[in-house]
Structure formats: C-alpha cells, structure tokens
Amino acid sequence: MPSANAELSDLQKALEALSFITSIRSIDDLFGVFGLHNLPVAQKYGIFFGCGVFTITIITVITLLIVGGSFKRIAEQEKTGGGAIPGSIEERVNRPLLLERLIESQERMVKNYPSETLTENLTNLTKMLLNIAPDVARAKKLSATLIEEEDSNGGKKDEIELKKKQAELKKFIPDGYEANYIKAYRKCQDKPGGPILSGMPEARYEAYARAFAGCGIYTSASYRRSYARMYEAVAAKNHGSEKMYREHWFERPGDIVGRLIRLEPMDVDRHLQPLFDMTCGDVYNENRAFDPQEVWGFLDDGPFRNSEEMRKSFVFQRRINEAGFAILESITDKMIGVIFLTNDNPKNLTISLEIPIVKPSSEGTAEQIEACFLLLDRLFALGYRRVQLSVDSMDTRAKKLAGRLGFTQEGLIPKERVVKESNRDSIIYGMLNSDWDKGARSFLFKKLHGEKILAAQLANEKKEDEAEEQEIFLAKEKEKANEDAIEKKNK
C-alpha cells in the first residue's frame, strides 16, 4: 500500500517543506529555525541588525547600478564589443560651442587689425635652423668658365682676372664653412668614429666634416661635434649608406638629418599631396582607414575635404616668426608627418614647439620623438633659453608626448584659445636650456641611440672640451709671445 507522501505532488511537497515559515511569529522563532535560539540576547540582535544592513546595502547598490546606467552601458558594450565610455577625440568633437554673441564679438574685433602676413616660402627662422653648405651648382658653373677661359688663352692665366674669379667663388661658400670643414676633417682623421670603409678611406672624414661645418658658426661647438658624430655613424655605416647620404647632401644639403628621420623645410609641391593622403582617413600605403579626427581633432583646422583646402590652412601658410618641417623616414624616404615652431621671440630667446602632426601609426614612435629632439637640440645650440609646448587639456596623446620629451608642466590656463568655435583649456609645458644641458638631452639621446652610444659620446665630449681648452690656451700663449717679441724689437 503506497504511503501518503507518494500521493503528494511536487508543489505540495515544496509547500510542506517550507511550512516552517508560517510558524515563525517572532525573532526567537527565526533563530530557532537556524538552531541559534540558545545564543545570548545581545548576539541575537547583533546578527539580526547585521543581516539587515547587508540587505539594505545590496538593495542600494542594485538601485544605483540601474539609475546610473551601468547596466545599460554593459548591454551596449555586449552589443558593440567595446566600451561605451567616450574617448578624448569624441569628447573634443562634442565640446560645447561658444555662444553666438561671442562668435560675433570675435569676428568684429578681428577686423580691427590688419590681416597677418602669411607665406608658403621659407621664413627667416626656417633658414636659420637649416644646415648651411656651399652652392655647389653655381661654384661648378663658375669653375667651368675659368677652365674655358684658360683653354681659350692657350693655357695662359690672367692673374688679375683669376683673383677676381676666386674671390667670386668664395661668395658661394658660407662664412666659416671652409675653416670648420678643414678642422673637422683633420679631427676625424686623427680619431674616426668607426671603421674605415674599404676602398673609400676618406668617406668617413668627409661625412663628419660636412655635417660639422653644416651646423654653421653660431651653434655651440659641443653640438656640432655631437651632430657630426651621429651623421658620420649613419652615413658611413656601409658603402650603400655612404652613397645614399652623399647624394642626398648634394641634392638637399640644408636638411637636418637624424638616425631614423630627417627634417625637410615645408614645400607645397613636395609635401602637400603626401600629407593630405596620409591624414585624410582613407587607406594609404600600409595604413588602414581611420577617423581623420584622430589627427585633426585638437587642431585649429581640419579635417580637410581636399589638398587645396589644406594648402590654404595653417599647415602651409606660415607667419614670419614660424617654421615648418616635413618628417621623412631615412630608410624608406616616405613622409610620416610635419612639425612646426611658432611664436619665435628673439628678444627674449624663447620659442614654441608644436606637437608633431603624424599619421596615427606613427603616433608615439621613436621617429616622432627624434623629430622633436632634432629641433630642440638645434634651438638650444643656437642660444634659445626656453622652449614652450602648449597642448589641449583634453589631448591625452599630446600630454603623454610632453612627458616623454622631458618637458615640465608649468600650469593650466582655462579658456586660453578658441579652437573650432569652442573653448580650449591649455596645459603649458616648458623646457629650459639649463634643464636640457643638465639631463634632458642625455635622457632623450639615450632613448633614441642607446646607453652605450651615450656613454661613448659623453666620454668623447669630455676629451674634446679638454683639448679645445688646451688649444685656446696655447693660442693665447703664442699670441702673447708674438706681442712680447714685437715689443722687444721696437725697443
């Protein structure tokens, strides 16, 4: 005969199992269910209130998650495969616009001043920063005329005319170039920076000499030696590199050359189309398609609809106190971006460096850092006291680059600019010449070239400084001896 329980349904069994709940009439009955009825009264109430606080906390957290939209973002992330938190570019694009009355005030006040003088040509600042070199083409042409005149005279030389031509020939050589070239050539002969190339014993000396002399007479001697050693190392690495750098020097002697990249003065015909193609967002060479706001989101202009629109923008239109350079990879000879200097103030020896504009795949790379290093090194070698870097407070990439370059954050200026009809808060960074000399330069040099090369350069620099001081001392002693000899002769 089946038992009574066998005749009960599953629901009835569950209700029978939970029937104890209906028997709970007090807190003591509740504790009795869990076998805690023998605890002291204080502990019973402690457990009761603890459970109550825990329950209220859970309910509060769940309520905040629902009201705050966290569950909604989780659902969106599950659908899209990514977070729904906006990035810095999106926040910049969606930044509130200025009030119309402020825009009208801006337009009205700007008319009170004459239009700025802008140019696509090389500014004086750009020319000052470029390497110097003899005008080889014109010098060769003049030399050819000398040879032709000598041949037409049956091999006879007109000494007076010859001296005139030689004087004219020297006009094609910048001041101090010849003396610095000879000095550097001899120094590299005494102590070359690496092994001599087989069959080309003078290639290394010539590379060092043209780089040393190319820095001009207004840069510091230590800078000229450092730049020349670096150029010598990359140019005289092998026969192929020697040919490539020598031919490049004859074609474009003014370019500032680094280990990974070189800087060319901005030129519309040479750089406009490549820059537009790499920053417009379309697929370009090995680069995938991207949102052009990644490049232009924090800048005054851009993205651009076509190359002609870019040409009319700040990218190619320079003020007289600005300079612009294209960044090209040394190995591939491909352009990766541009870099600008603005607000040149020679009276106070200060200038502003702008964050390089590069394709997204070159963002934060050693090439981007070396472009900044080459300009910073030359600016301080020429005598600048301070270089400023001003970035949008929302531009996380620019702030990160400023830190990697060793700049010091000096402050935040709210509403410092109007960019694309929106307020821009600017973070100001600075680099002093004293900071550069005391460690910032070595920090960046080590990052670009390695600790071993830095140690070798510092050791070489110390020896070079000692040798230079000795040369100066001996020159003064010789001059003094000559003056004494003339004085005795006069007596």
Side-chain angles (χ1 to χ4, degrees), residues 201-240:
E202 296 182 347
R204 185 171 289 276
Y205 315 146
E206 291 174 354
Y208 180 86
R210 65 173 176 256
F212 185 93
C215 294
I217 59 176
Y218 300 112
T219 56
S220 62
S222 60
Y223 169 79
R224 292 198 291 269
R225 291 193 294 264
S226 174
Y227 179 81
R229 284 300 181 193
M230 182 279 304
Y231 182 87
E232 174 200 353
V234 296
K237 186 177 182 179
N238 52 53
H239 290 79

Side-chain angles (χ1 to χ4, degrees), residues 206-470:
E206 291 174 354
Y208 180 86
R210 65 173 176 256
F212 185 93
C215 294
I217 59 176
Y218 300 112
T219 56
S220 62
S222 60
Y223 169 79
R224 292 198 291 269
R225 291 193 294 264
S226 174
Y227 179 81
R229 284 300 181 193
M230 182 279 304
Y231 182 87
E232 174 200 353
V234 296
K237 186 177 182 179
N238 52 53
H239 290 79
S241 64
E242 194 283 328
K243 180 183 178 182
M244 180 179 73
Y245 280 91
R246 176 165 39 83
E247 290 177 351
H248 175 264
W249 182 81
F250 277 109
E251 183 181 350
R252 302 184 60 85
D255 294 348
I256 304 173
V257 179
R259 184 175 68 90
L260 302 172
I261 58 101
R262 69 173 185 271
L263 300 178
E264 297 182 359
M266 292 282 286
D267 180 81
V268 172
D269 296 333
R270 185 175 174 84
H271 303 128
L272 174 58
Q273 197 59 47
L275 182 60
F276 175 78
D277 291 341
M278 77 175 65
T279 59
C280 68
D282 296 337
V283 176
Y284 179 71
N285 291 338
E286 77 283 2
N287 299 314
R288 59 173 176 77
F290 60 91
D291 182 359
Q293 291 290 353
E294 290 185 40
V295 177
W296 304 104
F298 293 99
L299 300 174
D300 292 334
D301 298 320
F304 303 99
R305 291 170 294 183
N306 51 60
S307 57
E308 190 60 32
E309 192 176 276
M310 175 183 281
R311 179 176 184 174
K312 295 176 181 178
S313 73
F314 75 94
V315 181
F316 284 92
Q317 300 300 317
R318 304 262 70 76
R319 296 185 178 92
I320 58 174
N321 65 340
E322 296 179 346
F325 297 90
I327 309 170
L328 283 86
E329 290 179 327
S330 298
I331 297 176
T332 64
D333 210 34
K334 292 180 180 178
M335 186 176 176
I336 63 171
V338 292
I339 186 170
F340 302 118
L341 293 168
T342 59
N343 302 319
D344 181 29
N345 187 342
K347 181 180 178 181
N348 294 310
L349 295 175
T350 62
I351 197 169
S352 294
L353 174 71
E354 302 298 326
I355 294 293
I357 302 172
V358 296
K359 59 184 182 180
S361 60
S362 297
E363 191 74 46
T365 60
E367 287 81 1
Q368 187 185 33
I369 292 176
E370 187 173 35
C372 298
F373 173 82
L374 289 174
L375 285 183
L376 288 170
D377 208 19
R378 182 148 297 195
L379 288 169
F380 287 122
L382 286 166
Y384 282 88
R385 299 161 51 248
R386 180 177 181 274
V387 178
Q388 178 173 297
L389 188 65
S390 175
V391 305
D392 194 307
S393 62
M394 300 176 71
D395 191 348
T396 55
R397 293 178 180 177
K399 290 188 286 187
K400 185 176 180 180
L401 180 62
R404 296 181 69 188
L405 293 173
F407 276 77
T408 301
Q409 183 174 332
E410 297 176 341
L412 170 68
I413 305 178
K415 295 187 177 180
E416 191 258 341
R417 298 186 191 179
V418 175
V419 176
K420 294 174 180 172
E421 298 187 350
S422 297
N423 291 315
R424 164 180 150 167
D425 299 339
S426 296
I427 298 179
I428 306 300
Y429 297 87
M431 176 77 76
L432 305 181
N433 54 351
S434 53
D435 297 335
W436 187 252
D437 295 336
K438 289 178 181 177
R441 183 187 187 278
S442 297
F443 169 76
L444 278 181
F445 190 93
K446 177 182 175 181
K447 186 178 288 188
L448 291 169
H449 302 283
E451 188 173 357
K452 186 177 180 180
I453 297 178
L454 173 63
Q457 187 187 79
L458 292 176
N460 181 67
E461 190 60 35
K462 186 177 180 181
K463 292 179 182 178
E464 293 281 4
D465 286 339
E466 292 174 354
E468 191 167 313
E469 287 178 8
Q470 188 175 8

